[in-house]
Amino acid sequence: MIHSGAIIGAGIPQFQSITFKKLKSRYDFFRTDRDKRDFVSGGAAAGVAAAFGAPIGGVLFSLEEGCSFWNQKLTWRTFFCSMSATFTLNFFLSGLDDNAWGSFYSPGLINFGVFQCTEEHKTNGSCRLWTAIDLFIFILMGLIGGLLGAIFNHLNKRLTIHRMKHVNTKHFRVKILEALLVAMVTTTVAFVAAMTLGNCKPVPTRLINQTTPNIEDTVRTYFCKDGYYNDMATLFFNSQEEAIKQLFHQEGQFSLQSLSIFFICFFLLACWTYGTQVPSGLFVPCLLCGAAYGRFVSTLLINVIGYDKGIYSGTYSLIGAAAFLGGVVRMTISLTVILIESTNEISYGLPLMLTLMVAKWSGDFFNEGLYDIHIHLKGVPLLEWDTPEGMHKLLARNIMSTDLQFIFSRTRVAVIQRLLKTTRHNAYPVVSITNRGDVSNFSVNQNYDDNEELDPTQIEQTGQVRVMKFEGLILRSQLTTLLKNNIYYEEQSMVSSQPNINYKTLTADYPRYPDIVDIRNDDINNMKFILDVRPYMNTTPYIVYQDTPVPQVFHLFRSMGLRHLPVLDHYGQIHGIITRHNLTHEFLEERQHELNEMEDLTLFRRMHE
Amino acid sequence: MIHSGAIIGAGIPQFQSITFKKLKSRYDFFRTDRDKRDFVSGGAAAGVAAAFGAPIGGVLFSLEEGCSFWNQKLTWRTFFCSMSATFTLNFFLSGLDDNAWGSFYSPGLINFGVFQCTEEHKTNGSCRLWTAIDLFIFILMGLIGGLLGAIFNHLNKRLTIHRMKHVNTKHFRVKILEALLVAMVTTTVAFVAAMTLGNCKPVPTRLINQTTPNIEDTVRTYFCKDGYYNDMATLFFNSQEEAIKQLFHQEGQFSLQSLSIFFICFFLLACWTYGTQVPSGLFVPCLLCGAAYGRFVSTLLINVIGYDKGIYSGTYSLIGAAAFLGGVVRMTISLTVILIESTNEISYGLPLMLTLMVAKWSGDFFNEGLYDIHIHLKGVPLLEWDTPEGMHKLLARNIMSTDLQFIFSRTRVAVIQRLLKTTRHNAYPVVSITNRGDVSNFSVNQNYDDNEELDPTQIEQTGQVRVMKFEGLILRSQLTTLLKNNIYYEEQSMVSSQPNINYKTLTADYPRYPDIVDIRNDDINNMKFILDVRPYMNTTPYIVYQDTPVPQVFHLFRSMGLRHLPVLDHYGQIHGIITRHNLTHEFLEERQHELNEMEDLTLFRRMHE
């Protein structure tokens, strides 16, 4: 749901399709990266909201996991988006399933049922799903859950690396075969386990709550005699959601043996499945696995240890599910809210939050969350929430990339073309070369000479006889599109003779801008054509000084959602550019040795905040 | 609760007290403005959380209303803070009230009771608090609620202005008298209204729900014969919370007459009370007022119009409360969540959000929210969420303040002292004057001359023969503290002979830094002492170019929580400074005439985002 929500968010507002050329509207306002990012976060939030009936949780999920950039305006929009998603779903579900149009019964696709107090948990009239003493056990469960999650992540990481080496490189049939193998093994395990290791338990007569359908439909008799059910089979042969409900609300017993065996099998199968070439989720399997773990704990406490101060085993299953899922994905605030909303039980706030925080801490002690692991394996430069510890002495000059390729406000088309062909940068700083003090514009001619002998490294060496005065930024996509549309003028003619181009034409090809090699146009090899980028370049990007501490750079970069951040000195001269790649944790950590040992002045900076 | 939460947040982390000099710890890490701001938002969130038992709502309230700066790290911290607040309260309340320690029954101080379905609202087994048809009525109610809120705000604004003129200026006895007058009038109105206009209704036998105590305790007989109760008196002579509960859950009738009279009286009284010299809230009175309005609508629909498709009048009261409160304070997302959490009924999400949005829109059509009104009357430069419409053509150069007072990296103490005495700025740009190209440092002597003839305006006039190269920012507080601690060196000696000062000493006086006039020290009048600010100034503040569009400036300023933003040209020369005052809506709107009519290039900038 999250994934498809994000896809819809990325696709719909474009009002065009690259696959279906026919679908193309003239409305191109949203065809920018920033808007696309925002819509994707909205879509992801809506996905969560619809799946769990958790609109607020969806927003927080999108905030905590999804987007690396966030602004306040986005909060409200995303909230509205996920709210609408929840209630649209709710409207149609209640209409179609219960045929009660206009009433809103079923908030989400996944429904954990109502946590109702059975008689023995009622104390003076009001419900008692958990007590303060339970909290300590929950913390312990969170600790173990984090541990289990860490193991899960470790195994899955090894597996994924192996897959990337041996499976994904092969013919696609291999991938299909793997998926088939997984399916076969899963089924076999389920059948055998249920057949040989399942226990027969009497079916409890009383229904637990109204949300679960008639309990005879959900428990599986499976070779047991009438009035009995096979607990293992009940877990394996129901939909995962149904199985979770069973563990949450089923009054009948699950034997410790069945629970542990089920946990181990399911743990390994889920770990193996995640990453195969099938759209398989992570949330629900982990919840189921964890619910078994939680139910195991409660059963242990009640039956074996005999500690029974009105333990409500449903709560324990829920906490177990949270602990394990939290140990795998390491979410805290958003997962808390999602579970609160999907159980519709606000009083679970504290235990859930405690458990999830402990689970995160104990898990982070060993490795990082599964999402992050896969993001890093895929090599996506996603910015973390914050810089690693002790970075405040590392300066912008230490991490900026200095292999700059300049262009001038007016440059020969041929030069630009060569630049675009020989480099892969997405943005080029526009500079003007002045011997300090010379403010006059250069003649086109001089400009051209400058281009010929332009070599940043050399400039560094020759002790800055000349200043690279920073004028602005121009994007590769802009340059190629300008060349493609013949936006340039001839050397002898006036600058004003350069044709204009409007935003619409400039962004017509978004997001697939033309590649320079695809531009068949003899003019761009001709030395006498000149491009004036001044009308199109960004003359006022955010900039930082060389000595800016990395945390400050990171904060700016992340909050503003930047792509390229020029690094200047106090003379307005550019020395480097910082991109997302320069701010990933890997990169920062390998630059740590450059930490300059000067006395730390950032403390004084705190006074300025 | 919100206010006291904020106060605690501002006070405790300082580990010192200005009132009680004795209380002073050596732990001064949090003694910065940024940390104080963060703690205040946390405290406010905790306040809301404790009051309504709404931890998530508290966070969102703090985000939407409280802080003008926000970063993601703060989200999680605030959430943790408010969660703990809720459950600490919950723990002790359930312990002390119900004497059930370790169980968590009463989430918040204010408890709206449980919205339970009575029989006639049950359709095929599950509850039906509202239907799709109701939504349209809710939207209408939101519209009217916004209107009522606008009237409330208008009256209260007029009243507050009058108060500021005539009451607050007078002796404090006058304020007390006003408060007493309010109290007297309120009591009189309540008694008279209940006595003359109240109706006697039969006491409903069945209790509505368990959360409300025995209903005989909360209904007021008041001159009615036994078995009957006076509806007006029941509203007036209960605690507001109790009265709200009555309107939400009381099965017995309230006559249209009583409801309308109560609404009008309470509306006017609340409007008069808010702003007197007593710590009176706004939330609960508005909720009560709105609840009466909502109950009025439902009674009207059922009894008069006869539209009764299983209307649950509790829902209508709630929606009415939301509509009116939303119309007054114009909160949307946070109020939605607060009410969801305090009613513990997630299915109210959509109706509440719809109503609140409509209320906000209809209210904003007339005037702004009550909080904003009072903020503006107090003249606090609080930054809105976003710039007004159509500001994208206004540039930084149009709004920056250009009356700059420079100092140099090394300046005569006497000059600084004069500067501090003659100006009120909180930060001073440190510049070095160079004829472009001259990179060499100046001798102290030349430096001194520069000071003497330093006059920014003149520099503007003389066509910039010299460059004001921007070196960094130094704070007034830093300068005064440095002077107070005799941090300077004698002209003939070396720079290195200037004594050092560490962060602890520099911030020892936070937040009450010494005033320049209080510094009794003859040296600082002596022309031969020189202060070198370089070790203490912020050499890498965020900066913007002159042509940066105001929305971009605003976005940077807000997200980064800036105080002073230097405006530079591409030569690294400073031309002005932007502070919060330059970004308030009032200021921006009066600068709108300077909108430069150049062709709008910001569209192209969108490609860079």
Side-chain angles (χ1 to χ4, degrees), chain B residues 64-293:
Chain B
E64 189 175 4
E65 287 298 314
C67 55
S68 53
F69 309 129
W70 193 263
N71 60 31
Q72 287 165 311
K73 212 189 291 171
L74 204 54
T75 317
W76 166 243
R77 292 175 178 173
T78 316
F79 182 62
F80 185 75
C81 178
S82 49
M83 260 296 180
S84 333
T86 320
F87 282 96
T88 317
L89 176 88
N90 197 335
F91 179 78
F92 284 106
L93 265 193
S94 357
L96 297 169
D97 295 3
D98 319 353
N99 193 7
W101 292 95
S103 60
F104 293 76
Y105 299 149
S106 34
L109 290 175
I110 299 175
N111 171 7
F112 292 144
V114 177
F115 285 80
Q116 269 177 338
C117 284
T118 50
E119 282 321 312
E120 64 267 23
H121 302 111
K122 296 232 164 150
T123 44
N124 54 5
S126 92
C127 187
R128 191 155 164 243
L129 295 170
W130 57 277
T131 65
I133 308 106
D134 294 335
L135 285 180
F136 297 104
I137 308 171
F138 293 161
I139 290 174
L140 209 64
M141 287 173 72
L143 211 66
I144 300 167
L147 197 63
L148 293 169
I151 299 170
F152 188 95
N153 292 0
H154 177 71
L155 293 177
N156 188 272
K157 183 178 183 179
R158 301 287 298 277
L159 192 63
T160 315
I161 293 170
H162 180 273
R163 268 205 192 99
M164 291 168 83
K165 278 214 199 78
H166 302 93
V167 179
N168 298 2
T169 53
K170 297 269 188 338
H171 190 278
F172 77 94
R173 287 209 190 77
V174 182
K175 306 176 186 174
I176 297 179
L177 278 176
E178 193 203 8
L180 285 174
L181 183 64
V182 174
M184 269 167 50
V185 173
T186 312
T187 341
T188 326
V189 168
F191 268 101
V192 173
M195 203 175 302
T196 58
L197 304 164
N199 300 332
C200 290
K201 303 271 181 186
V203 174
T205 51
R206 169 155 56 92
L207 293 189
I208 308 316
N209 58 51
Q210 299 147 336
T211 58
T212 47
N214 206 329
I215 201 145
E216 280 70 25
D217 313 344
T218 56
V219 300
R220 297 271 170 271
T221 311
Y222 193 78
F223 296 122
C224 295
K225 60 179 180 296
D226 290 357
Y228 284 78
Y229 69 95
N230 181 321
D231 55 358
M232 185 82 73
T234 306
L235 294 179
F236 268 124
F237 298 145
N238 275 314
S239 70
Q240 294 187 0
E241 179 194 352
E242 205 47 62
I244 292 177
K245 256 190 221 166
Q246 290 279 346
L247 289 167
F248 281 0
H249 305 299
Q250 157 79 276
E251 278 260 308
Q253 292 299 324
F254 291 90
S255 71
L256 286 178
Q257 184 201 7
S258 312
L259 284 170
S260 46
I261 293 167
F262 174 78
F263 176 81
I264 293 163
C265 299
F266 206 85
F267 180 96
L268 297 172
L269 289 171
C271 185
W272 186 19
T273 314
Y274 187 74
T276 47
Q277 303 298 317
V278 288
S280 67
L282 180 68
F283 258 70
V284 180
C286 284
L287 283 174
L288 177 51
C289 219
Y293 151 59

Side-chain angles (χ1 to χ4, degrees), chain B residues 10 15 230 362 476:
Chain B
F15 299 112
N230 181 321
S362 73
R476 164 180 285 271

Side-chain angles (χ1 to χ4, degrees), chain A residues 451-489:
Chain A
N451 270 302
E452 282 310 276
E453 58 180 323
L454 181 58
D455 178 358
T457 57
Q458 176 191 333
I459 289 161
E460 297 299 333
Q461 288 150 7
T462 57
Q464 310 193 350
V465 287
R466 303 177 309 173
V467 182
M468 289 282 150
K469 179 157 152 290
F470 178 66
E471 302 286 355
L473 278 177
I474 188 88
L475 298 174
R476 163 180 287 270
S477 55
Q478 289 177 310
L479 288 174
T480 49
T481 319
L482 288 172
L483 292 185
K484 181 185 168 203
N485 293 280
N486 309 11
I487 309 299
Y488 39 72
Y489 65 99

Side-chain angles (χ1 to χ4, degrees), chain B residues 480-495:
Chain B
T480 49
T481 318
L482 289 173
L483 292 185
K484 182 186 169 202
N485 293 281
N486 309 8
I487 308 298
Y488 39 72
Y489 64 98
E490 202 161 344
E491 183 153 4
Q492 274 59 34
S493 64
M494 302 302 298
V495 180

